Amino acid sequence: MLPLPRILRIFREWLRDPKNPERRFETLAKLSEYLVPGYRYSWPNIDWWQNAKFNHYLDSFDEKGGFNTHRRWILGQLLRLVDGVPGDTAECGVYRGSSSYLILEANGRVGLPRTHHMFDSFQGVSAPSSEDGKYWKEGDLSVPEKIAREALSGFTNTQFYPGWIPSRFEEIAHRQFCFVHVDVDLYEPTRDSLEFFYSRLSPGAIFLCDDYGSPFCPGATRACDEYLESCVEKMLALPDGGGFFIKGIQTASSPS
């Protein structure tokens, strides 16, 4: 941990150099050694940060100043991989609808008849099990269904399935899928989602788990690794958090 006099010297350096953004960023990284020990910064000079359309989308969900912008960008990029893959799309854990918005935008550009199926209790997370650690409590992340419906009201070919996972999955048991996004935080609903959707993924389809690799969601990580243990696919961990696999693509096991 940095001593206070050194912190003050670093801050004075930052004030003296207002027109050098690279120097100011390096100063911020030095300060973080004291404020957030162990945090790793990445360079901020990234083209997509200046993408006007994407920033407008973030603003519409009040997420531009949040901590999930990288996840949203990667979600949008992964959707580009399934433009030619047949099947519908689905999301388990809709929350306010920001991820489904990107999925529906992608569906609209491909010219294929796709329906987006959305599953959420809209009562927050269910009761955590012993695999889920101590972070979540029953009812966390509760949001009214009408918020997601209003956010997605400009799209067609949408279906909402309010209820606890997996109680309504059988209503779409006859469908195939090109993209499934799971963000349910806990072991049991993540496992149930994998068990239902895996056999219904088209070759080349993507299964994305927002919670994979998060220390706050050990159950979700365990559910993915356990289910895929006997499958050719394995989860690929993303640097922003989360992980995905592509149906039918053999994946090497993690070297760790």
Side-chain angles (χ1 to χ4, degrees):
M1 185 175 293
L2 297 176
L4 183 59
R6 186 179 175 191
I7 293 173
L8 294 175
R9 286 199 300 273
I10 292 172
F11 188 65
R12 284 196 293 270
E13 290 177 13
W14 184 80
L15 291 174
R16 284 199 300 267
D17 208 3
K19 296 183 179 180
N20 188 333
E22 184 172 309
R23 179 67 179 277
R24 289 164 72 88
F25 179 74
E26 290 174 348
T27 301
L28 177 64
K30 290 179 183 177
L31 283 173
S32 76
E33 295 176 16
Y34 177 82
L35 298 172
V36 192
Y39 184 77
R40 300 180 185 181
Y41 280 87
S42 59
W43 288 107
N45 49 331
I46 303 171
D47 283 347
W48 64 261
W49 282 19
Q50 311 307 320
N51 185 296
K53 181 181 178 182
F54 185 67
N55 284 331
H56 177 73
Y57 150 77
L58 292 174
D59 283 334
S60 69
F61 284 95
D62 196 26
E63 290 194 358
K64 189 174 179 182
F67 302 122
N68 290 316
T69 58
H70 289 73
R71 292 173 185 254
R72 302 290 182 257
W73 179 258
I74 286 179
L75 170 61
Q77 294 298 296
L78 289 175
L79 283 161
R80 296 171 61 198
L81 292 173
V82 300
D83 273 13
V85 178
D88 287 346
T89 57
E91 181 164 56
C92 302
V94 179
Y95 196 48
R96 296 172 60 235
S98 58
S99 296
S100 276
Y101 188 98
L102 293 175
I103 296 171
L104 284 160
E105 267 200 333
N107 287 356
R109 71 166 179 254
V110 298
L112 297 173
R114 287 180 178 170
T115 298
H116 183 53
H117 306 271
M118 291 168 280
F119 298 85
D120 199 305
S121 69
F122 296 104
Q123 298 178 49
V125 301
S126 54
S129 64
S130 58
E131 290 89 351
D132 294 310
K134 303 293 185 182
Y135 185 79
W136 297 109
K137 302 185 298 297
E138 185 175 3
D140 283 349
L141 302 178
S142 176
V143 63
E145 180 184 345
K146 68 177 182 180
I147 290 179
R149 284 189 176 273
E150 289 172 0
L152 305 175
S153 61
F155 296 100
T156 58
N157 294 332
T158 60
Q159 290 289 334
F160 282 83
Y161 302 86
W164 296 104
I165 291 171
S167 64
R168 301 193 65 181
F169 281 172
E170 285 305 312
E171 296 176 45
I172 57 168
H174 59 294
R175 313 292 292 217
Q176 290 293 119
F177 296 87
C178 67
F179 194 95
V180 176
H181 182 230
V182 173
D183 184 5
V184 290
D185 304 291
L186 305 180
Y187 177 83
E188 291 183 3
T190 301
R191 177 202 61 201
D192 292 340
S193 298
L194 265 166
E195 289 179 349
F196 177 79
F197 283 105
Y198 181 84
S199 64
R200 294 173 174 84
L201 294 173
S202 301
I206 287 179
F207 184 99
L208 173 63
C209 178
D210 182 82
D211 311 304
Y212 185 80
S214 169
F216 300 135
C217 304
T221 303
R222 180 177 176 181
C224 291
D225 288 340
E226 284 182 352
Y227 187 86
L228 295 175
E229 188 173 3
S230 60
C231 302
V232 298
E233 305 90 353
K234 299 292 182 287
M235 295 296 284
L236 298 173
L238 294 166
D240 64 308
F244 74 101
F245 68 84
I246 302 176
K247 181 67 178 293
I249 300 297
Q250 185 168 343
T251 315
S253 298
S254 172
S256 61

